Amino acid sequence: MFIAIIGTGNVATILGKLFYENGHVITSVSGRNLIECKKIADDLKSTALPLAAKVAPETEITIIALTDSAIKELSPEIFGSTIVLHTAGAVPMIVLERYSDNYGVFYPLQSLRKEMSKIPDIPFLLQANNLFTETILQKIAESCGMPAYFTGDDERLKMHASAVLVSNFTNYLYTVAEDFCVKENLDFSILFPLIEETATRITRASPATLQTGPAVRGDAETGSKHEKILQDLPGASALYTFLSRRVAERFKKD
């Protein structure tokens, strides 16, 4: 299909590569920064356009991969008769109503970075305002070999919140642990096998059946020692205490 990309961030870049590598034609890449647009467009054998420019006449689908607030600021005139899709987890589909008769959501439930050398598996949460658009979305996802699930606004928002818990917040905990290791002259990479094993393990069983550690064992003595040695790292000891209490409450034995 002929697809236009609006945006130059992580999602726009990776989706552009994914579509291009699976035989779709990227008609244009548009955004506020024309230099960034050209970098992406050159890789996709496409054309760089300013944000306010109309998409090419042959474009069948326009993907808006902008910040949530910017999605609603575009001019309806730039889309022509294309299907218009946004890629946001927390933005209702209806915001696209003024842009096209055919619109929907193509939300990648994955942590994406421009510099990725290999595109990971990406579950797509799809939504369409009519059967025609639904059929097109299904075909695009299938052409890319990625799993796809049709959801409504509410379900997608809930999955987005879940994604923040398992990815963004988990990465913050990695950051705190790395800061502590650096401060104490410890090798953070020693933790890599543990991190990988923990992430892999939950693909085989419910996380609720796999919880370990001092808090779930009721080992207050070890917990106190950990809180004490973390006190010199701002916020770390309080974070440890809060999470320990939440774990103890969640896995409290009758």
Side-chain angles (χ1 to χ4, degrees):
M1 299 199 75
F2 291 80
I3 302 173
I5 305 288
I6 299 179
T8 58
N10 294 318
V11 173
T13 302
I14 296 301
L15 288 188
K17 289 180 181 179
L18 180 66
F19 296 145
Y20 178 73
E21 290 175 2
N22 285 280
H24 299 284
V25 176
I26 308 303
T27 59
S28 63
V29 177
S30 58
R32 293 185 179 89
N33 188 328
L34 271 180
I35 295 176
E36 287 299 314
C37 287
K38 192 172 189 315
K39 287 180 183 177
I40 299 170
D42 286 349
D43 289 338
L44 304 177
K45 303 295 188 292
S46 184
T47 302
L49 296 175
L51 188 62
K54 293 182 179 179
V55 300
E58 67 271 23
T59 303
E60 298 169 279
I61 298 170
T62 302
I63 303 281
I64 305 174
L66 299 172
T67 60
D68 291 1
S69 59
I71 292 173
K72 297 175 284 188
E73 297 174 0
L74 299 170
S75 169
E77 296 178 359
I78 71 176
F79 299 104
S81 60
T82 67
I83 295 172
V84 180
L85 310 174
H86 77 59
T87 60
V91 177
M93 178 180 68
I94 197 66
V95 301
L96 302 177
E97 183 179 33
R98 71 192 190 98
Y99 296 148
S100 176
D101 292 333
N102 303 300
Y103 56 91
V105 179
F106 203 83
Y107 168 57
L109 188 61
Q110 182 56 276
S111 179
L112 303 176
R113 303 290 296 173
K114 283 186 177 185
E115 60 271 17
M116 286 176 165
S117 57
K118 180 182 178 182
I119 298 176
D121 288 340
I122 306 174
F124 284 103
L125 302 189
L126 311 178
Q127 189 177 3
N129 76 313
N130 56 42
L131 184 59
F132 169 73
T133 305
E134 182 178 309
T135 302
I136 297 298
L137 291 182
Q138 184 72 53
K139 287 181 178 178
I140 298 173
E142 288 177 355
S143 73
C144 296
M146 298 296 181
Y149 309 89
F150 280 94
T151 67
D153 288 333
D154 189 55
E155 186 178 3
R156 175 164 38 86
L157 179 61
K158 291 174 181 176
M159 287 302 298
H160 187 254
S162 299
V164 170
L165 290 172
V166 303
S167 179
N168 304 124
F169 289 167
T170 300
N171 191 76
Y172 174 69
L173 292 177
Y174 296 156
T175 302
V176 173
E178 183 183 40
D179 289 345
F180 179 68
C181 286
V182 169
K183 179 179 178 299
E184 300 298 329
N185 198 28
L186 302 170
D187 185 355
F188 178 67
S189 68
I190 294 173
L191 295 169
F192 290 174
L194 173 61
I195 292 170
E196 291 178 4
E197 171 59 23
T198 303
T200 301
R201 189 182 296 171
I202 63 168
T203 66
R204 302 189 294 264
S206 166
T209 67
L210 302 171
Q211 187 70 44
T212 60
V216 78
R217 296 194 303 268
D219 185 353
E221 182 178 353
T222 297
S224 294
K225 290 179 180 178
H226 289 171
E227 289 170 2
K228 185 175 180 179
I229 63 172
L230 288 168
Q231 283 179 348
D232 290 336
L233 185 66
S237 183
L239 179 63
Y240 186 99
T241 300
F242 171 77
L243 291 176
S244 293
R245 288 174 179 170
R246 294 302 301 142
V247 169
E249 292 171 6
R250 172 63 176 81
F251 296 97
K252 183 179 180 180
K253 293 179 174 61
D254 294 332

